[in-house]
């Protein structure tokens, strides 16, 4: 507690943020200096690593994310195993940055989602929604000797929210400007928007999934080339956009035209989404397919903007996520959004694009020990604002 | 955080303790005033209820404690369902005690153990031991609006301990005396000892399971009478101790003679333990069986004392747990231990016997927010002392 009070009184803290996402590749670990808290928060990026899971761990997590293959013994073990892997990532990050473990004040860790059930279900007379991120923050605190905050989604779900998205809070405190209307666009597997008008407060942030991010491109890259993704958009640049296919993809879609708030995931933009068009357009060259699907991805993002925010005079579109590295996708976005809207990567604001989510959870941990609420009820649907995360002492 | 700092600065706190044990009957909820912390801790008992689980919940927990029937969706839901039940117990307790929820400063909750794997196992190059208590403390904090501390066993396991027993710390700070050599005896399903010599420090506490508690008696009460337990020892008082059977039970036992530290559970003292003797001594009257097994239970406790602590001049044996209510068992203990050792219930120290474990977790939560370590490395096997529990803000 003395440690906790000391650190919560500090003006500047050295913080590590950890994010392991649904791709199950491993953990992103970022090292920051965070000054102040709330809307005064300033983030100084120090270093970042991607730490892959050891062989077999991905499969073990996947097995225990599924209802028919999971069991309580494995889940219990995974909850303790993952923090050991996180700790190895932290040690490697500190080595790389040439900083001692005991110089770190705080860890913020998202954990590994193995179940997310935000829709209420009647159970024994109660209405229960639930979520589970494993990788126990208390285990990490004991292994590292560092105060650790984790399990951020639980509190929002307990108050009737969806437990997601949590990034819009971070987007607002880091990127809100009184000068420019901004939209934050993260292009992961799925794309999502946080809209930050210059005259709005944090309680009025609008955030939602726009539709596919890299997911459809990645599926095709795997299918056509046995590659995981289209590096820098190189394959797309070799192809041509096929307007018939583009129209057909737009017609196949059921999500993009929906009014926000809305969210989607793997279930909608998997192989089945592409199957019918792959059958109909099998004569189209692979490169043309990649170019067209990349353009469709940009279209999905733009369409959400043009259909639902025609009155918003957007000044800047600030892009992060793996998709920010796809130059063909960025070019497509520039064509759709036009010259008046500046497209910038978060890197230009000191927020390394690939590390954005890990940075977000470092900042959320900093908010927790500052006693600040970090859910936005209008975004998650929770009944009220609340301080998220469990505080685990070393 | 302001709340937390305020409460951690208070001299007296109003605290609720929650314990739901492996019997899966429901939750014990206790309301206390706790003054100070550490060895200065003073506990004032206010009220106590036993709150049964709704129909079906016991079965749902049991299902998800077993490897072949558990699944991740159920476990995730249970982790959120149980705090809703806990919160109903808290509301009933506050109603009974005529106290407002907003007068409560702190909740300490053990959670419901659904898996305990303290033995290390090699997994992906790591040595992993693990435990899982469900009933998320963050959910309870949000529902109740009260700072909640839970998940006490995790931190000790992370440091190489068994995550148990945690009660000896509580036993020491509440019952250690500079005047008397004391042993704390809890008679639950299994019996256990904490030995507190008058001249010893908290780091030297010895604690271990002695052998059967109520478990064997309860199995026979169910078998012979369809009752859950022998109320006040009434059935035993109607019977006579059969010395042949007693000798045979002693010979059947493999645990009592073992040197501490040691621990046991349901697996050793189930129906199989009794099966051979039930076959050999089937002509013995039911009441005589109950009297003899009750006496055997007392023998097991005494034998651990006489064999391993012959040099300890015990002054007081302080008894808690359901077995403390069994007068025949208490009489048997008096015969074994002799007149020089006073046998007293914890109630005489203001610690309601049935509520002892719930009181323990209220006190452990009070220690967490005071920044005190509550594991005893000599008892649990952990590599060092550490502050247990996750702090969840409302």
């Amino acid at each position: 507690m003395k440690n906790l009070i000391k650190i919560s009184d500090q003006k500047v803290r050295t913080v590590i943020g950890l994010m392991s996402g649904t791709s199950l590749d491993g953990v992103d670990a970022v090292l920051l200096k965070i000054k102040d808290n709330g809307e005064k928060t300033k983030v100084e990026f120090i270093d970042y690593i991607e730490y892959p899971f050891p062989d077999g761990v991905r499969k073990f997590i996947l097995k225990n994310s599924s209802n028919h293959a999971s069991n309580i013994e494995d889940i219990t073990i995974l909850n303790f195993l993952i923090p050991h892997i996180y700790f190895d990532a932290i040690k490697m990050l500190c080595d790389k940055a040439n900083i001692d473990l005991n110089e770190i004040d705080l860890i913020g860790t998202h954990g590994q989602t193995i179940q997310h059930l935000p829709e209420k279900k009647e159970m024994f007379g109660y209405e229960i929604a639930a979520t589970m991120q494993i990788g126990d923050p208390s285990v990490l605190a004991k292994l590292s000797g560092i105060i650790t905050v984790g399990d951020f989604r639980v509190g929002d779900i307990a108050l009737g929210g969806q437990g997601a998205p949590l990034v819009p809070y971070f987007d607002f405190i880091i990127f809100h400007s009184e000068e420019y209307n901004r939209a934050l666009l993260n292009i992961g597997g799925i794309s999502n928007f946080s809209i930050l008008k210059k005259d709005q407060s944090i309680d009025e942030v609008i955030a939602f999934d726009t539709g596919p991010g890299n997911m459809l491109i990645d599926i095709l890259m795997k299918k056509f080339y046995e590659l995981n993704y289209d590096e820098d958009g190189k394959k797309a640049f070799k192809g041509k956009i096929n307007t018939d296919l583009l129209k057909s993809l737009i017609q196949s879609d059921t999500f993009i035209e929906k009014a926000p708030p809305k969210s989607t995931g793997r279930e909608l933009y998997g192989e089945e989404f592409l199957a019918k068009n792959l059958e109909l357009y099998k004569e189209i060259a692979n490169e043309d397919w990649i170019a067209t699907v990349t353009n469709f991805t940009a279209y999905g993002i733009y369409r959400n903007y043009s259909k639902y925010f025609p009155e918003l005079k957007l000044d800047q579109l600030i892009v992060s996520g793996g998709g920010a590295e796809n130059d063909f996708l960025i070019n497509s976005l520039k064509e759709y959004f036009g010259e008046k809207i500046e497209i910038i990567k978060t890197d230009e604001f000191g927020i390394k694009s690939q590390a954005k989510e890990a940075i977000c959870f470092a900042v959320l941990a900093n908010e927790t020990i500052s006693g600040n609420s970090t859910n936005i009820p209008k975004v998650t649907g929770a009944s009220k604002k609340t301080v998220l995360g469990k505080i685990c002492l070393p």
Side-chain angles (χ1 to χ4, degrees), chain A:
Chain A
M1 277 297 293
K2 269 185 206 160
N3 263 357
L4 178 60
I5 292 168
K6 179 178 156 271
I7 286 168
S8 78
D9 283 345
Q10 271 172 226
K11 189 111 180 134
V12 181
R13 298 155 190 147
T14 307
V15 188
I16 285 176
L18 301 175
M19 176 71 208
S20 46
T22 45
S23 63
L24 303 176
D25 299 325
V27 55
D28 294 343
V30 69
L31 178 63
L32 310 169
K33 292 250 181 223
I34 303 180
K35 198 180 153 191
D36 253 322
N37 64 77
E39 297 190 23
K40 290 186 191 161
T41 304
K42 293 275 170 270
V43 171
E44 183 197 326
F45 176 87
I46 303 174
D47 216 330
Y48 164 71
I49 61 164
E50 290 173 345
Y51 189 88
F53 284 142
D55 281 351
V57 169
R58 181 179 198 272
K59 217 171 144 186
F60 192 50
I61 297 171
L62 261 182
K63 171 179 179 291
N64 284 290
S65 306
S66 95
N67 251 355
H68 67 278
S70 53
N71 70 67
I72 181 59
E73 185 174 327
D74 283 358
I75 294 163
T76 303
I77 288 171
L78 259 177
N79 193 36
F80 278 67
L81 170 69
I82 288 174
H84 280 82
I85 301 170
Y86 287 174
F87 183 44
D88 280 349
I90 287 172
K91 285 186 286 190
M92 183 178 273
L93 174 65
C94 288
D95 275 356
K96 187 177 172 225
N98 199 20
I99 188 170
D100 228 52
L101 264 185
N102 61 27
E103 294 175 58
I104 312 295
D105 295 314
L106 181 66
I107 298 169
T109 173
H110 175 268
Q112 182 70 54
T113 297
I114 56 168
Q115 197 77 185
H116 190 61
L117 307 164
E119 301 312 324
K120 283 179 189 158
K121 195 173 149 185
E122 203 271 327
M123 294 294 289
F124 303 101
Y126 299 91
E127 295 283 315
I128 304 297
T131 190
M132 189 172 283
Q133 285 72 46
I134 55 169
D136 195 291
S138 187
V139 175
L140 187 56
K142 299 308 176 191
L143 293 176
S144 65
I146 301 164
I147 294 173
T148 302
V149 181
D151 265 355
F152 293 91
R153 301 199 188 275
V154 170
D156 186 76
I157 296 243
L159 292 174
Q162 298 274 312
L166 301 183
V167 174
Y169 176 90
F170 167 82
D171 286 343
F172 186 89
I173 67 169
I174 301 297
F175 294 100
H176 181 252
S177 151
E178 291 181 357
E179 202 172 342
Y180 303 110
N181 287 321
R182 288 175 169 168
L184 270 286
L185 169 65
N186 191 72
I187 311 172
I190 297 296
S191 290
N192 56 64
F193 253 162
S194 296
I195 290 179
L196 313 172
K197 293 184 217 172
K198 55 190 177 189
D199 57 357
Q200 84 180 168
S201 77
I202 194 160
D203 299 328
E204 298 163 325
V205 172
I206 293 169
F208 57 94
D209 290 343
T210 60
N214 306 309
M215 192 169 276
L216 298 176
I217 305 166
D218 292 352
I219 289 171
L220 294 179
M221 287 300 294
K222 195 78 188 174
K223 183 179 171 67
F224 296 152
Y225 309 106
E226 273 295 317
L227 292 171
N228 289 326
Y229 65 105
D230 185 14
E231 198 187 341
D232 302 333
K234 281 176 195 158
K235 289 286 180 200
F237 277 115
K238 286 187 186 145
K240 283 193 306 286
I241 294 162
N242 181 303
T243 49
D244 288 343
L245 172 56
L246 181 61
K247 274 182 201 157
S248 183
L249 287 168
I250 292 171
Q251 274 165 6
S252 310
D253 191 89
T254 56
F255 181 79
I256 292 166
E257 297 289 324
K258 271 192 194 169
K262 58 182 176 176
S263 69
T264 185
R266 288 190 176 273
E267 57 284 2
L268 199 57
Y269 291 109
E271 313 220 354
E272 314 83 78
F273 178 86
L274 295 168
K276 203 188 92 192
N277 283 303
L278 278 168
E279 188 56 38
L280 282 172
Y281 294 89
K282 53 186 162 195
E283 81 286 359
I284 290 186
N286 291 347
E287 286 84 356
D288 294 353
W289 255 101
I290 301 292
T292 308
V293 162
T294 306
N295 190 275
F296 169 67
T297 300
Y299 165 84
I301 294 161
Y302 175 70
R303 177 66 181 154
N304 274 277
Y305 168 68
S306 64
K307 181 168 182 183
Y308 291 108
F309 301 91
E311 83 298 343
L312 170 70
K313 290 200 167 70
L314 198 61
D315 298 303
Q316 297 178 327
L317 182 65
I318 303 173
V319 190
S320 62
E325 310 300 315
N326 183 327
D327 296 332
F328 189 89
L329 180 54
I330 296 293
N331 285 358
S332 301
L333 285 170
K334 283 181 179 163
E335 281 165 29
Y336 280 114
F337 279 87
E339 282 180 2
K340 284 188 183 160
I341 298 173
E342 201 183 357
I343 297 185
I344 321 169
K345 283 207 249 175
T346 54
D347 303 65
E348 293 189 30
F349 296 85
I351 303 296
K352 195 173 171 65
S353 166
Q354 306 104 294
K356 188 187 167 198
E357 283 192 284
I359 295 171
C360 169
F361 287 96
V363 168
L364 292 189
N366 187 63
E367 294 296 277
T368 304
I369 67 154
S370 307
N372 296 337
S373 302
T374 47
N375 63 335
I376 303 177
K378 199 177 163 189
V379 169
T380 65
S383 59
K384 61 175 183 180
K385 290 200 221 185
T386 196
V387 180
L388 300 177
K390 295 171 186 160
I391 302 170
C392 303
L393 303 178

